């Protein structure tokens, strides 16, 4: 694992193909966001496609990329506020572009993931 200060914080957008709720699309985010999402997937024992599909189902009226970024920030913020030890960012992002077919509602979430998903789903007035 690479410490955050040594992680690639390049602001160039990386485009990746994902399958969201059964449909193929592409998402552009910074490498640090992809690395963070990969870390969360490992901790939650889900694929990137599964987590992005869940975010897509829960998000309020915002674009998917913004909802993913909010989810990542809230996940790590809640972890920090709850003093949950984190190992840092993944050394290398092993992107999983193959969706595992299955019911998204059957996936169980940790309390960190549930709290971050709740924030993504908040509708602004």
């Amino acid at each position: 694992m690479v410490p955050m200060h040594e992680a690639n914080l390049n602001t160039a957008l990386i485009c990746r193909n994902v399958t969201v709720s059964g449909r193929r699309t592409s998402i552009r985010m910074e490498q640090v966001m992809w690395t963070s999402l990969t870390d969360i997937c490992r901790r939650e024992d889900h694929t990137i496609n599964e987590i992005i599909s869940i975010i897509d189902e829960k998000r309020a009226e915002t674009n998917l990329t913004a909802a993913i970024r909010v989810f990542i920030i809230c996940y790590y913020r809640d972890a920090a506020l709850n003093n949950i030890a984190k190992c840092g960012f993944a050394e290398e992002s092993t992107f999983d572009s193959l969706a595992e077919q299955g019911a998204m509602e059957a996936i169980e979430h940790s309390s960190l993931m549930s709290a971050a998903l709740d924030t993504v789903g908040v509708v602004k007035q």
Side-chain angles (χ1 to χ4, degrees):
M1 297 288 172
V2 175
M4 187 169 138
H5 67 278
E6 292 178 18
N8 180 4
L9 299 178
N10 188 340
T11 58
L13 296 176
I14 310 284
C15 188
R16 301 263 169 92
N17 292 321
V18 295
T19 302
V20 180
S21 302
R23 63 181 163 71
R24 191 173 168 102
T25 190
S26 60
I27 296 176
R28 291 173 40 135
M29 294 191 301
E30 301 79 8
Q31 181 60 48
V32 69
M33 290 297 171
W34 286 115
T35 303
S36 298
L37 186 58
T38 299
D39 249 6
I40 292 169
C41 289
R42 287 183 184 141
R43 285 185 173 84
E44 297 295 331
D45 196 28
H46 296 306
T47 67
I48 285 177
N49 291 329
E50 288 173 334
I51 289 187
I52 291 176
S53 293
I54 295 166
I55 293 168
D56 183 50
E57 292 172 8
K58 292 269 192 177
R59 69 185 165 111
E61 296 179 19
T62 186
N63 71 50
L64 180 57
T65 303
I68 294 168
R69 285 186 178 106
V70 168
F71 169 80
I72 292 167
I73 291 167
C74 291
Y75 187 95
Y76 281 111
R77 181 179 181 271
D78 289 344
L81 291 175
N82 291 312
N83 292 322
I84 296 173
K86 296 293 170 194
C87 298
F89 288 88
E91 195 167 314
E92 192 175 307
S93 180
T94 55
F95 184 72
D96 180 6
S97 63
L98 301 175
E100 293 185 21
Q101 300 301 319
M104 287 296 131
E105 57 273 357
I107 295 175
E108 293 187 23
H109 312 300
S110 71
S111 59
L112 281 175
M113 188 165 160
S114 293
L117 286 169
D118 287 345
T119 303
V120 169
V122 172
V123 179
K124 295 191 177 188
Q125 303 280 336

